[in-house]
Amino acid sequence: MSVDLSARAVDLVELMDDPAADEEALGRTYRRFSAVNAVVSRPGRLYRRDIRPRAVAGRPLRILDIGAGGGDLCRDLVRRLRRDGLRADITALDADERAIHWASAHDDGAGIRYRHALSGDLVAAGDTYDVVLSNHVLHHLDAAALRAVLDDSRALVGDRGLISHHDIARSRLAYGAFAVGTWPFARNLLAGSFIRVDGLLSIRRSYTPRELAAVAPPGWEVRSHLPARLELRWEGADGRP
């Protein structure tokens, strides 16, 4: 059966967003994210382009990951920074208490600060960061929530920080590639998790570059990356601490 990708399927609900989702399956999903995102999200590119150049010896780089889920991106950044002899003060933020509970229990010595809260709570507390980022969050948000996250992100980095929100770009190629690429692992690596089903639902909920540019506030830039990636970016001054 053909899937309609002509417009965002905003009424679809991903399995892991169900408050009654099976906890064991949810845990397996968080655990598998690191392997899947290593291919889909390419955190090494983010590190080389935006994190490593801003890290200064002797001063921890302040990073906030909004909608951090199981914390795999945060842990990946810590490993890369430590390898290069650099430090970061990383906060993993998520509105889902289940995600924060799982991530904090699987910190593996990364020393990340885990917060069950909204980005607006951090703004109210007067928190500031050098870099605010997210991965696979934008497609979850309705128009009001998206604007709130973007406004909060701006407040949290001040005039000189960097904001880099990454997500999937909706297209027939992206949908087909994910469906075909995950099929061989459906009964082994991805078995008992929500990744394959939710990944396809996520693509149907996601933006195209033109759609994201149409809802982005002035001053924000939409960039396209391979494979089938979108970045909504704001950079103040030279974007460096």
Side-chain angles (χ1 to χ4, degrees), residues 59 62-64 89 91 122-123 125-132 155-158:
R59 177 187 179 277
R62 298 165 299 173
I63 301 173
L64 172 66
D89 181 357
T91 297
L122 275 58
V123 174
D127 291 359
T128 59
Y129 300 89
D130 301 311
V131 179
V132 170
L156 290 165
V157 299

Side-chain angles (χ1 to χ4, degrees), residues 114-127:
Y114 298 94
R115 293 285 305 275
H116 171 225
L118 300 174
S119 55
D121 297 324
L122 275 58
V123 174
D127 291 359

Side-chain angles (χ1 to χ4, degrees), residues 142-164:
D142 61 24
L146 175 63
R147 187 56 187 254
V149 165
L150 298 185
D151 288 348
D152 291 343
S153 299
R154 283 281 290 106
L156 290 165
V157 299
D159 295 327
R160 294 179 59 83
L162 168 71
I163 306 167
S164 181

